[in-house]
């Protein structure tokens, strides 16, 4: 939206300038000479500036896209490594250690607290 607020008035002024400056003028550049309307010259100069700006932005966007692709690739590699480490950790927890007998967990009933006071009291009396 901000770009439109800047570009539209500029194009309107350029269009008015183009309409009121139709007389050809002799232009000189080293080793070159030509006749052209000042309005058309301003329009061509504005168009050339727009193209140069667009190319500059495109080049910077391509650099950003390359960085993003490299970062995404690194993220995928790190996620794979994290999943492998998780699997190794789970395997290490589930495999018994030689010479060590696993302790038996007590078989107490599971108490769920927070349903209601009556149910909590029933669960506590049943577990005793």
């Amino acid at each position: 939206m901000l770009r439109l607020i800047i570009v539209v008035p500029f194009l309107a002024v350029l269009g008015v300038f183009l309409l009121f400056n139709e007389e050809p003028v002799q232009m000189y550049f080293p080793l070159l000479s030509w006749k052209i309307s000042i309005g058309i010259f301003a329009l061509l100069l504005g168009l050339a500036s727009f193209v140069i700006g667009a190319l500059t932005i495109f080049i910077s966007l391509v650099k950003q896209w390359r960085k993003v692709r490299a970062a995404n690739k690194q993220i995928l590699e790190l996620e794979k490594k994290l999943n492998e480490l998780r699997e190794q950790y789970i395997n290490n927890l589930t495999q018994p250690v030689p010479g060590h007998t696993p302790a038996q967990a007590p078989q107490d009933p599971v108490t769920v607290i927070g349903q209601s006071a009556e149910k909590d009291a029933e669960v506590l009396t049943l577990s005793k």
Side-chain angles (χ1 to χ4, degrees):
M1 185 67 182
L2 180 63
R3 291 182 193 143
L4 286 177
I5 293 172
I6 294 171
V7 170
V8 170
F10 176 74
L11 289 176
V13 169
L14 190 61
V16 170
F17 186 76
L18 176 69
L19 289 174
F20 287 108
N21 292 292
E22 296 177 354
E23 300 170 14
V25 177
Q26 187 71 30
M27 297 283 186
Y28 296 101
F29 196 72
L31 303 174
L32 294 174
S33 168
W34 67 91
K35 281 190 173 187
I36 190 169
S37 164
I38 295 290
I40 293 189
F41 182 72
L43 182 67
L44 292 175
L45 190 63
L47 182 64
S49 299
F50 174 78
V51 169
I52 290 170
L55 286 174
T56 304
I57 289 173
F58 181 74
I59 290 170
S60 67
L61 284 176
V62 168
K63 289 180 183 177
Q64 292 285 334
W65 291 336
R66 287 181 183 164
K67 287 180 183 178
V68 167
R69 265 192 273 145
N72 283 340
K73 191 174 185 180
Q74 187 177 12
I75 287 171
L76 290 175
E77 291 172 3
L78 291 173
E79 285 177 347
K80 286 179 186 176
K81 190 172 183 179
L82 178 64
N83 288 334
E84 290 172 4
L85 290 173
R86 282 182 181 159
E87 288 177 13
Q88 288 178 0
Y89 178 72
I90 291 171
N91 288 339
N92 288 341
L93 286 179
T94 57
Q95 292 177 354
V97 177
H100 181 266
T101 58
Q104 293 291 333
Q107 297 297 325
D108 291 337
V110 176
T111 305
V112 178
I113 299 177
Q115 293 176 354
S116 68
E118 294 84 20
K119 288 185 179 181
D120 290 344
E122 288 178 37
V123 169
L124 290 174
T125 55
L126 292 175
S127 65
K128 289 181 183 181

